[in-house]
Amino acid sequence: MNALFSMSRKDVITFVVFSAVVLLMPIWLQPFGAAYPDLMQKFAIFGILAIGFNILFGLTGYLSFGHAAFLGVGSYTAVWTFKLFSMNPIPALIFAVLMSGVFALAIGYVSLRRSGIYFSILTLAFAQMSYNLAYSVLTPITNGETGLQLTLDDPRIVDSAFGSVSDGSLPVSNLFGLIDMNGIPGFYFTAVFLIIGFFITQRIFASPFGMMLRAIKSNQTRMNYTGFNTRPYTLTAFVISGMFAGLAGGLMAVTDPLAGAERMQWTASGEIVLMTILGGVGTLVGPVVGAWLIKYFENIFSSFNESVLHDLFGFMPDGVENFVVGVTSMFVGEGWHLTLGLIFVLVVTFLPGGMMEGFRRIGSMFNRDGGDKAKPDKTVPSPAPAE
């Protein structure tokens, strides 16, 4: 237990800074126009999803295109918990994590019999099967294309037993009947889970288990030749990663109590991969940064229109203003995917290690400048030692 919580000074600083950044989002996001609760909740939830995926992809090198399936399972499980038992988010999240873990164990047991592109295709196939089952076959459980939602007729046996009475409107998730999980309280609820998830990931990265996963990524074939069975380690990483995705799906249902099959589409899995690569595969903070950047573009850049651009560039002469607005409008609003695509191309081309590699390069430039100042001037000969 002591080994679990023993952290180096660097890890402690990283954890404290990360926690401060997350908790102070309502302040530092103000200048970027993103300090509203719904978007900050998305930042926290997709940050959890990205760091969980990074445990599998970043440490073992196994690229899964099926993690959206666990996201959907977590959402459906949480909503059913709300409908059957209670609007308290804690039981819903526990069941969401457990159910997605069982689902990940079943899929991982089969998919990890193969590696490389064959593993990726298997996970993609399982995710698409899950999507089609949720969309059409399992409609009594998932409610098909309409999505699973709360109703006034839901039994909610735990809430009913404790005298919770409906006022005729749909209930909202609440923490022990005291705090509703919307607005700023809902954000801080998700933020706490992001910080906990980051801490768990940090300990996994620094543990012997994490070192074993890195060895598998480095040369799994050589490890197999030595007689070492790597499969239990990769399966464990797959299950942990799936449970993180289930937690993210459960938190989606906590902040907005509904679940739909669209969360299990292959495009959702591709978005998770994009977040991780954009931020930096195998880094602690990189996937979170990638998730935040994509969600920022999706929610802020997509809301820009020509009237906003005209207000922004109104100081220019009319002809120049119209030209600049015409060019810029192709990269914002409905064209925000073009901007994101260009950023992704630039990052992959010039920063293969993701945005975190760019931050490291900038930091090394400052360190090199400081180091150069500290070094003695070699043009001035040093005095000869006395004989």
Side-chain angles (χ1 to χ4, degrees):
M1 184 64 69
N2 291 334
L4 177 64
F5 291 99
S6 60
M7 301 173 66
S8 66
R9 184 172 178 269
K10 180 181 178 182
D11 286 345
V12 171
I13 293 175
T14 302
F15 177 74
V16 171
V17 171
F18 179 82
S19 301
V21 168
V22 172
L23 295 176
L24 295 176
M25 272 187 184
I27 297 175
W28 66 265
L29 283 178
Q30 285 284 354
F32 301 97
Y36 54 94
D38 288 347
L39 181 54
M40 292 190 295
Q41 288 169 3
K42 289 181 180 180
F43 284 166
I45 291 171
F46 282 92
I48 293 171
L49 182 62
I51 60 177
F53 180 76
N54 192 46
I55 293 174
L56 177 69
F57 183 37
L59 290 182
T60 69
Y62 277 79
L63 177 57
S64 169
F65 283 120
H67 261 53
F70 311 128
L71 186 74
V73 168
S75 292
Y76 281 120
T77 303
V79 175
W80 269 113
T81 306
F82 289 146
K83 291 169 71 68
L84 296 177
F85 299 107
S86 171
M87 293 303 297
N88 190 332
I90 301 300
L93 294 179
I94 292 174
F95 282 119
V97 171
L98 292 177
M99 187 61 69
S100 59
V102 171
F103 199 62
L105 179 64
I107 292 181
Y109 183 81
V110 177
S111 301
L112 287 167
R113 293 177 180 273
R114 294 293 180 266
S115 60
I117 188 62
Y118 303 104
F119 167 81
S120 300
I121 292 175
L122 278 173
T123 55
L124 175 62
F126 277 117
Q128 281 302 101
M129 285 191 291
S130 301
Y131 166 73
N132 287 314
L133 286 172
Y135 193 80
S136 58
V137 179
L138 299 178
T139 50
I141 299 175
T142 63
N143 205 28
E145 62 179 337
T146 305
L148 187 64
Q149 304 177 38
L150 300 178
T151 66
L152 293 175
D153 298 328
D154 293 334
R156 284 186 283 276
I157 55 178
V158 175
D159 287 351
S160 299
F162 284 91
S164 177
V165 180
S166 174
D167 59 356
S169 60
L170 289 177
V172 296
S173 57
N174 56 81
L175 192 61
F176 301 106
L178 301 175
I179 304 174
D180 289 345
M181 292 294 100
N182 50 30
I184 291 296
F187 158 67
Y188 276 111
F189 184 78
T190 58
V192 168
F193 280 96
L194 173 59
I195 292 171
I196 294 173
F198 181 81
F199 175 78
I200 294 173
T201 305
Q202 196 176 34
R203 301 317 302 143
I204 290 175
F205 269 60
S207 68
F209 174 69
M211 293 178 64
M212 190 62 67
L213 295 181
R214 287 191 184 91
I216 292 172
K217 180 180 180 179
S218 177
N219 200 324
Q220 185 175 3
T221 304
R222 180 177 296 176
M223 295 183 70
N224 289 330
Y225 281 153
T226 62
F228 189 86
N229 185 10
T230 60
R231 196 174 177 201
Y233 290 89
T234 54
L235 182 59
T236 302
F238 191 91
V239 171
I240 293 174
S241 184
M243 293 171 76
F244 268 80
L247 174 61
L251 287 170
M252 285 183 178
V254 167
T255 56
D256 186 11
L258 59 86
E262 69 280 354
R263 291 178 181 173
M264 308 174 82
Q265 280 186 301
W266 67 269
T267 51
S269 295
E271 188 178 50
I272 303 169
V273 177
L274 183 61
M275 291 173 180
T276 309
I277 294 176
L278 190 61
V281 178
T283 63
L284 276 169
V285 183
V288 181
V289 175
W292 291 353
L293 182 66
I294 288 178
K295 288 303 162 183
Y296 181 81
F297 272 85
E298 180 181 324
N299 291 272
I300 302 300
F301 264 51
S302 62
S303 65
F304 288 179
N305 52 39
E306 289 195 4
S307 62
V308 174
L309 295 176
H310 277 292
D311 292 338
L312 183 63
F313 298 109
F315 63 92
M316 296 180 176
D318 290 343
V320 177
E321 176 188 342
N322 292 332
F323 174 77
V324 172
V325 169
V327 173
T328 308
S329 62
M330 296 187 297
F331 297 89
V332 297
E334 295 181 357
W336 71 272
H337 286 96
L338 178 58
T339 303
L340 184 62
L342 290 174
I343 292 176
F344 186 72
V345 169
L346 292 174
V347 168
V348 171
T349 303
F350 299 103
L351 300 172
M355 296 182 67
M356 295 307 297
E357 180 181 342
F359 296 149
R360 283 194 297 269
R361 289 185 184 180
I362 294 173
S364 63
M365 288 172 58
F366 286 103
N367 290 335
R368 185 168 59 248
D369 291 341
D372 291 342
K373 292 177 183 178
K375 290 179 181 177
D377 188 356
K378 294 185 178 180
T379 60
V380 179
S382 58
E387 296 183 359

